[in-house]
Amino acid sequence: MRRAWVAVVAVAGVAAACNPFWWWPSSACDDDADCRSGRICVDGTCRAGGRTPAATGDDRSIAMGGEFACVLRDGGVTCWGGNAFGQLGTVSASPAPAVVPGLQPAQAITVGFGHACALAGGTAWCWGYADRGALGTGSMTTQPGLIEPVAFTDWVQVDSFGHHTCGIREGGALYCWGDNNAGQLGLGPGAATQYAEPVQVPFVGGVAEVSTGWDFTCVVSTDGRLWCFGTSNEVLGGRLDAPTQMPETGWSNIQAAATHVCGLRGGELWCWGEAGHVGQGDEAALQPTRVGSAGNWRGVTCGAFHSCAWNDVGELYCFGANAAGQLGTGPGGINAGTPKRVPTPDGAWQAAAMGPSESTCGLQDGRVYCWGSNEHGELGQGYAGRSAAPREVGPDAGHRWTQVRAGDRHACAVDQEGGLYCWGSNDVGQLGTADMPVQHRTPVGVDGGAWSRVVAGEMTTCAMQRDGGWFCFGSDGLSVGLGGPEQRPVRIPGPFVDAVVGNSFACFVDGAAGLQCTGSYFDRTELRAALPGVTWDAVAGRGDVVAGTSGGRMQRWTVWDADAGFTSETLPGLAMRAPVARGTGHDCAASSDGGSLFCMGDNSNGQLGVPDGGPGPQEVPLPGAVLSVCAGQDHTCAIVDGGSAWCWGRGEEGETGYRVDYQSPTPREVSGGAFTDITCGTSFTCGIRAGGTLWCWGSNRRGELGDGRGGSPVPQPVTLP
């Protein structure tokens, strides 16, 4: 079922809009003076910036910043796009949505040029570009991955656009911090050019809303009057060092940008600033001027050179520049001097937000759509390529997966409709596509009816249909008693409730919890009972070994020796249960007394989750009861209570979801939000998120990630071609 994405109220009054952004072609610079208005000099190149989230009055929001975007959903913040300064809250870029790790449940978000802040219970947490003090944490040193709180714990709104940030505390006191080279902090003549911590702005009376532009700031006082300060020839007619009242009253939902401002007065839309961006055709507006005659506007958002507003019947109108299709009204290159309606893909628009590289995102009936430029992945599609029409954010919108399992260098997944899809290596027909040895780098459907689950071995795949029948394909035929490589599903006789597949065998769990096996170590034409008298609670396999739990004990069985190869181990004072996982040289299982995870065996790459841990059972330090666990060649992953996924061990190919060539002897959280299923291949990992979307990361030498592209140390979406 599709999850609803709706926006959060970020300011007082009607639903608040989102960030302004802009983009010009990259140009060399020595300092900010070499760049056009609204851009700054970063490492010798003129770059652009961003701001606060769009809102609808519900509990979710979207905000867009310099080359990236963030969404607040159910208290968690998810970001995507460029990550040069750690503005995604991680150390790696992500063209598809990835969760910011370690945040407390948030109620609002705001983003600037290269930084972001989340408001959680009155505390503002900020991360990303810190060189001008925009984080407000006292530091001017950018440290990707570091998320720190701002002083005070009674913030009610925080807003950013460029390199300065402003916030309102309980009682209406206004504070600002960051860049002040143009007087945008409102501290008066003689103030410093940068502040790394919040400084109170001298202002008579309380502040209800704040909106930061590029080099200026505007606020709405509690009595509905509008005040601005900073520098903008187009908006302020020059520089204002102290808060100065603007014309008209009754303001709300004010949105400051680079060279123009828009806001609401009642249900009327008013803008002023540079020509072409304020809804007056090709004319500039030096004073607040009403846009059109409609009186039912609910919200507005401003980009550098375009704006969008939505009304009370769910219609979205945009105007201004359209070089990259950011208006969503048709092909890029055709500007609109007056508001033009954006087509509605599936329902009513509830809010919109402006993105950095001439991008726009909108919220519609609980779903997020983006359009325009996608140079840095800011459309959240998981790949580059602009769009002049709204595209839903997220892989395979509307397609939901229920289970995924990885073999050696292939993987298979089942969707909610009963479809079975496989991808990756196909040397011996393990994809079930009847075209071995052709590998498939994107999912390919497997014929045979409606499927309910799948199990993958090194070179064999077995799957169960919804009627309970098991089918297998692949290997050299020995593992399923078929007499040769089988490229299509072949039915396995007998009713079974589960299966485990290894390198040269397949075993099926019967109704009495016993194993019936076939393969190179058994009669190749029929199933044989294995280890009579042993009943299994859970089983897993890799190579020539079956590992599982039986009678509260951890059991291992080397398949080629049914007697001497059978061993068992009981952890002192603990009984074991599912889930269980078998790696190449290590095993893991959960305890029965609360779900602690214990791993044992080889720890040469940290795959036991405990630094310097020996081969004996090691308790893995995880933040909750383990719900699911998987083991690859030299890495391990688990899902804990609450849905967060954690990986540890060898990461040379990015299989732990952190970065390439990184070995983690202790668990690290995988970005991307809550997971419901996870599986480990030899050097890659796949997981299903709570919304039913499928993601893989790590090696992609044989197409294991199913995304048609290269390997990745961060989760990438798997979509149907």
Side-chain angles (χ1 to χ4, degrees):
M1 185 149 173
R2 193 190 303 269
R3 291 192 67 176
W5 290 26
V6 193
V8 65
V9 171
V11 295
V14 298
C18 169
N19 329 322
F21 277 70
W22 54 91
W23 176 88
W24 286 273
S26 297
S27 56
C29 59
D30 294 321
D31 54 39
D32 292 353
D34 296 330
C35 303
R36 291 189 59 181
S37 175
R39 300 189 57 136
I40 60 152
C41 187
V42 179
D43 297 329
T45 302
C46 293
R47 302 286 291 274
R51 190 218 358 265
T52 298
T56 63
D58 209 304
D59 62 347
R60 305 177 188 182
S61 66
I62 181 169
M64 304 192 73
E67 303 171 355
F68 74 110
C70 294
V71 162
L72 172 65
R73 181 176 61 174
D74 297 336
V77 178
T78 300
C79 298
W80 61 88
N83 198 36
F85 313 109
Q87 61 263 44
L88 301 187
T90 63
V91 296
S92 302
S94 178
V99 166
V100 178
L103 279 179
Q104 299 177 11
Q107 293 81 46
I109 51 173
T110 184
V111 299
F113 158 72
H115 75 286
C117 297
L119 194 59
T123 299
W125 298 82
C126 297
W127 61 92
Y129 190 66
D131 290 24
R132 303 193 184 191
L135 301 187
T137 59
S139 173
M140 291 192 183
T141 301
T142 297
Q143 301 181 61
L146 181 63
I147 302 174
E148 292 188 310
V150 180
F152 307 119
T153 58
D154 60 348
W155 298 104
V156 295
Q157 187 204 347
V158 176
D159 187 82
S160 186
F161 181 81
H163 286 285
H164 76 290
T165 307
C166 292
I168 304 171
R169 295 177 60 191
E170 288 184 6
L174 177 67
Y175 286 74
C176 293
W177 57 92
D179 191 8
N180 191 41
N181 68 327
Q184 57 264 55
L185 302 190
L187 303 179
T193 58
Q194 295 176 349
Y195 289 84
E197 294 180 329
V199 181
Q200 187 169 2
V201 179
F203 189 82
V204 178
V207 174
E209 299 180 20
V210 59
S211 181
T212 54
W214 187 255
D215 284 333
F216 66 98
T217 304
C218 292
V219 301
V220 177
S221 58
T222 53
D223 60 4
R225 291 183 293 170
L226 178 64
W227 306 73
C228 297
F229 45 90
T231 302
S232 172
N233 291 331
E234 298 84 358
V235 175
L236 306 181
R239 176 165 177 153
L240 299 174
D241 283 306
T244 302
Q245 186 177 349
M246 299 290 106
E248 310 298 343
T249 60
W251 291 97
S252 66
N253 195 191
I254 196 70
Q255 292 290 296
T259 59
H260 73 291
V261 176
C262 290
L264 299 183
R265 298 181 60 231
E268 300 173 356
L269 176 62
W270 293 66
C271 299
W272 76 101
E274 191 171 22
H277 312 149
V278 291
Q280 306 298 322
D282 295 330
E283 299 295 323
L286 303 180
Q287 299 288 332
T289 304
R290 187 175 178 182
V291 178
S293 59
N296 64 335
W297 298 105
R298 296 295 303 274
V300 60
T301 181
C302 299
F305 301 128
H306 75 297
S307 300
C308 294
W310 55 97
N311 59 29
D312 59 6
V313 293
E315 297 171 331
L316 180 67
Y317 289 79
C318 296
F319 50 95
N322 195 37
Q326 64 264 42
L327 298 186
T329 56
I334 303 176
N335 299 337
T338 56
K340 303 297 182 185
R341 186 176 176 183
V342 178
T344 301
D346 200 27
W349 293 104
Q350 297 157 308
M354 298 301 177
S357 304
E358 300 173 311
S359 307
T360 306
C361 288
L363 293 162
Q364 182 186 100
D365 287 352
R367 298 187 295 276
V368 177
Y369 292 84
C370 294
W371 58 95
S373 175
N374 196 30
E375 182 180 354
H376 301 277
E378 50 266 51
L379 299 191
Q381 300 298 316
Y383 53 84
R386 65 175 54 176
S387 174
R391 296 178 62 90
E392 188 172 0
V393 173
D396 242 9
H399 197 88
R400 297 294 178 259
W401 302 90
T402 59
Q403 188 206 19
V404 59
R405 289 294 178 265
D408 182 17
R409 299 188 183 279
H410 80 290
C412 297
V414 178
D415 67 16
Q416 64 183 1
E417 303 300 326
L420 174 63
Y421 296 82
C422 297
W423 61 92
S425 179
N426 195 31
D427 295 345
V428 292
Q430 60 264 50
L431 301 188
T433 53
D435 58 356
M436 75 176 200
V438 177
Q439 67 181 26
H440 292 272
R441 303 185 71 86
T442 56
V444 178
V446 178
D447 296 334
W451 304 90
S452 62
R453 59 175 311 186
V454 63
V455 178
E458 275 87 329
M459 294 185 178
T460 306
T461 305
C462 294
M464 185 174 74
Q465 292 189 343
R466 289 182 173 176
D467 65 4
W470 281 90
F471 293 74
C472 295
F473 44 93
S475 191
D476 58 1
L478 299 178
S479 65
V480 290
L482 303 174
E486 184 56 56
Q487 301 185 60
R488 292 289 190 189
V490 173
R491 190 177 186 100
I492 303 300
F496 299 108
V497 296
D498 201 357
V500 57
V501 182
N503 186 31
S504 55
F505 71 91
C507 293
F508 300 87
V509 181
D510 58 29
L515 290 183
Q516 302 284 330
C517 299
T518 183
S520 59
Y521 307 122
F522 304 92
D523 188 320
R524 300 179 182 181
T525 61
E526 63 182 8
L527 295 170
R528 168 191 160 187
L531 302 175
V534 178
T535 57
W536 297 86
D537 303 313
V539 289
R542 184 176 289 271
D544 294 331
V545 176
V546 171
T549 57
S550 175
R553 300 170 65 90
M554 184 70 189
Q555 311 276 17
R556 292 192 195 90
W557 171 41
T558 302
V559 175
W560 52 263
D561 191 338
D563 297 316
F566 184 76
T567 62
S568 71
E569 186 165 6
T570 301
L571 306 186
L574 291 173
M576 305 306 295
R577 62 166 178 81
V580 64
R582 168 68 188 173
T584 299
H586 71 293
D587 306 292
C588 298
S591 66
S592 298
D593 64 344
S596 296
L597 183 67
F598 287 81
C599 294
M600 59 208 78
D602 182 19
N603 197 34
S604 58
N605 289 281
Q607 56 264 54
L608 300 189
V610 180
D612 303 321
Q618 306 290 326
E619 184 173 0
V620 182
L622 289 168
V626 63
L627 304 179
S628 179
V629 61
C630 70
Q633 178 171 303
D634 294 313
H635 78 289
T636 312
C637 297
I639 300 173
V640 301
D641 189 29
S644 61
W646 301 75
C647 294
W648 58 95
R650 179 183 180 272
E652 291 184 13
E653 307 260 11
E655 55 264 55
T656 56
Y658 181 56
R659 65 173 184 248
V660 175
D661 294 327
Y662 182 82
Q663 179 172 302
S664 177
T666 57
R668 294 187 65 98
E669 186 175 3
V670 179
S671 63
F675 285 81
T676 60
D677 194 20
I678 197 163
T679 183
C680 300
T682 296
S683 299
F684 73 103
T685 308
C686 294
I688 296 175
R689 291 184 181 165
T693 55
L694 177 59
W695 303 76
C696 294
W697 56 95
S699 173
N700 202 27
R701 300 176 189 275
R702 299 289 187 90
E704 298 98 311
L705 303 192
D707 64 356
R709 297 185 291 277
S712 172
V714 295
Q716 297 297 317
V718 179
T719 62
L720 296 181

